[in-house]
Amino acid sequence: MRRYTIRTGMAVLAAALLFGLTACFGGPSASDKEARLASALESAGVGVVGAKVVTTPSSAGGLTVTVKLAPEALDTTGRDVTAETLTRILAVSAENASDMRVTSLYLYADDEAGRDVSLRDAATELGLEKSIEGDSLTLVAEEWKLYAGK
């Protein structure tokens, strides 16, 4: 009886150690990665004055990014994102989300007052017009990651 108690105790201890070591080496959490990406967008000097990043916790692995843009990131009408701004947002997000294992990006943009601004003209200028769905720009990882380093 005592032998089984010791074996059981050793098995439980081994499992606990394995679980503990796995947790230690697991890396940053999804919320840490989201915060890092939001901070990178806000500090990149591309006119992003606020960013909200949410990872979809599913096998689809989508990343939803909503950016709040300063007036200099918009065209002269103040209702459209410029192609230069969109390129930089895509580049910064691709570079900083490389370890997030997401399959797609859903990008939304607002002005400083919180009103939706259009991504359509900028996306069209970049050849991404087929990726516009309503108020968002939707890119699969292969398209989106091409902007890393730009």
Side-chain angles (χ1 to χ4, degrees), residues 81 86 107-109 117-124 132 135-137:
V81 176
L86 180 56
L107 179 65
Y108 296 86
V117 292
S118 177
L119 296 162
R120 185 170 304 283
D121 290 346
T124 300
I132 291 290
D135 292 339
S136 73
L137 174 67

Side-chain angles (χ1 to χ4, degrees), residues 40-90:
L41 285 165
E42 293 168 1
S43 64
V46 296
V48 176
V49 295
K52 180 179 178 188
V53 179
V54 178
T55 306
T56 306
S58 69
S59 60
L63 182 69
T64 302
V65 177
T66 304
V67 292
K68 186 176 283 192
L69 300 171
E72 61 269 11
L74 305 174
D75 70 357
T76 56
T77 67
R79 293 183 299 222
D80 295 297
V81 176
T82 66
E84 179 182 348
T85 299
L86 180 56
T87 299
R88 290 296 304 135
I89 290 170
L90 293 174

Side-chain angles (χ1 to χ4, degrees), residues 102-106 131 137-146:
V102 293
T103 59
S104 55
L105 168 72
Y106 305 97
S131 299
L137 174 67
T138 303
L139 297 174
V140 295
E142 293 79 24
E143 295 172 307
W144 173 42
K145 303 279 173 124
L146 293 174

